Amino acid sequence: MSNKTQIDLTKVPKHIAIIMDGNGRWAKVHNQPRVFGHSKGVVSVRDVVEGAGEIGVKHLTLYAFSTENWKRPKLEVSALMQLLVNTISKETDSLNKNNVKLTAIGDLKSLPSSCYSELNKAIEKTSANTGLNLILALSYSAKWELTEAIKQIAKDVQNNTLPVNDITESIINNYLNTKDIPEPELLIRTSGEHRISNFLLWQIAYSELYFSDKLWPDYRKEDLFEAIIDYQKRERRFGLTSEQLTS
Ligand code: FPP
């Protein structure tokens, strides 16, 4: 029986963020180069996107390439960029068929021009879709995002368009890449690592964290459903007491 039948469809998280980890180790286990693990990871991306759409998740953010990933061996970086270009262009029709809107966060201008233009084409072609919002975090890190936001806030204060006393949490939200997206209720990381790795640090202040031991290329929609079932058993207190929540 599919895990899907156990999900309460009225309490599905609106936003799920995933740190897709373990491609390299998966490749090693299978005596293959690391890049092979990344390309197998695309199969998982497809399945998980499909699963998220099936149960009505509104936003799915996938950490596909971090600011720190630029420091990996040149060959791996260029193979990953090529994989992104190929996947994005190959999958655009299928995204449209499934009403998936593609968006991206991160320092997108730092991507190779072929990747940047393919990404923008796909974003444009899927912009009218009203189903799942698939957000790729590319050349992204939370510290980068916060630094950029702080610089912009400082400029706006300096040019008198933002009075210092008007700065609130919600104003800060508006300066982030994720300004139009609700905070993730659930953050999943695969591969048995228990780290956040510079991902959405501001936005996950009250997210539920879920760690799976599966390496990303083995991860499937059934695993996503299992994480959601676990999430639905939790009590989210946001600093309140249990009694306050029930009264
Ligand atoms: C982490 O595994 C994975 C990445 C840095 C890249 C993720 C990319 C994909 C799944 C493929 C393309 C994605 C899209 C959205 C088209 P790792 O290399 O850090 O693995 P390791 O920790 O085992 O070395």
Side-chain angles (χ1 to χ4, degrees), residues 139-200:
S139 191
Y140 173 86
S141 79
K143 286 190 176 180
W144 166 82
E145 180 186 38
L146 289 167
T147 308
E148 291 304 305
I150 291 164
K151 274 195 226 161
Q152 195 52 51
I153 289 172
K155 277 186 200 159
D156 288 350
V157 168
Q158 207 169 34
N159 65 29
N160 295 320
T161 55
L162 177 65
V164 171
N165 287 333
D166 283 7
I167 300 174
T168 57
E169 288 183 13
S170 114
I171 293 286
I172 294 173
N173 269 328
N174 288 338
Y175 283 83
L176 299 177
N177 283 203
T178 51
K179 64 174 167 6
D180 301 317
I181 312 163
E183 288 172 357
E185 294 96 322
L186 176 62
L187 170 72
I188 299 172
R189 182 176 188 138
T190 63
S191 92
E193 306 281 7
H194 296 185
R195 277 194 294 278
I196 302 300
S197 298
N198 215 349
F199 190 40
L200 301 175

Side-chain angles (χ1 to χ4, degrees), residues 11-228:
K11 291 190 183 121
V12 169
K14 285 187 189 65
H15 183 184
I16 298 177
I18 307 184
I19 302 175
M20 310 179 287
D21 194 18
N23 293 350
R25 276 162 285 161
W26 187 94
K28 202 168 182 184
V29 169
H30 293 83
N31 286 318
Q32 296 288 339
R34 293 180 56 83
V35 175
F36 188 72
H38 296 314
S39 58
K40 282 288 173 189
V42 175
V43 180
S44 308
V45 169
R46 205 177 290 126
D47 201 58
V48 165
V49 168
E50 194 178 281
E54 280 171 24
I55 55 166
V57 173
K58 206 51 212 143
H59 308 273
L60 176 69
T61 304
L62 300 179
Y63 203 6
F65 195 85
S66 73
T67 309
E68 289 77 21
N69 287 153
W70 290 115
K71 295 183 210 130
R72 288 195 174 189
K74 266 203 175 93
L75 263 177
E76 181 173 345
V77 171
S78 60
L80 256 170
M81 290 300 141
Q82 197 51 51
L83 184 64
L84 281 165
V85 172
N86 294 347
T87 308
I88 292 166
S89 71
K90 223 169 62 198
E91 298 293 334
T92 306
D93 285 348
S94 152
L95 293 177
N96 275 331
K97 251 185 239 148
N98 292 290
N99 199 19
V100 177
K101 177 176 169 162
L102 183 73
T103 54
I105 57 171
D107 186 9
L108 306 179
K109 295 221 168 87
S110 70
L111 296 170
S113 59
S114 59
C115 192
Y116 183 66
S117 74
E118 211 49 63
L119 179 69
N120 278 326
K121 258 195 263 169
I123 288 175
E124 174 62 34
K125 280 188 188 164
T126 62
S127 61
N129 293 339
T130 55
L132 175 73
N133 179 22
L134 171 62
I135 305 144
L136 296 184
L138 290 167
S139 191
Y140 173 86
S141 79
K143 286 190 176 180
W144 166 82
E145 180 186 38
L146 289 167
T147 308
E148 291 304 305
I150 291 164
K151 274 195 226 161
Q152 195 52 51
I153 289 172
K155 277 186 200 159
D156 288 350
V157 168
Q158 207 169 34
N159 65 29
N160 295 320
T161 55
L162 177 65
V164 171
N165 287 333
D166 283 7
I167 300 174
T168 57
E169 288 183 13
S170 114
I171 293 286
I172 294 173
N173 269 328
N174 288 338
Y175 283 83
L176 299 177
N177 283 203
T178 51
K179 64 174 167 6
D180 301 317
I181 312 163
E183 288 172 357
E185 294 96 322
L186 176 62
L187 170 72
I188 299 172
R189 182 176 188 138
T190 63
S191 92
E193 306 281 7
H194 296 185
R195 277 194 294 278
I196 302 300
S197 298
N198 215 349
F199 190 40
L200 301 175
L201 294 178
W202 172 275
Q203 299 86 340
I204 61 165
Y206 265 105
S207 301
E208 295 297 325
L209 309 184
Y210 182 91
F211 299 100
S212 164
D213 284 335
K214 284 207 177 171
L215 301 176
W216 179 252
D218 290 327
Y219 203 79
R220 289 292 177 273
K221 62 170 103 166
E222 282 300 323
D223 302 301
L224 174 74
F225 297 157
E226 203 175 296
I228 295 171

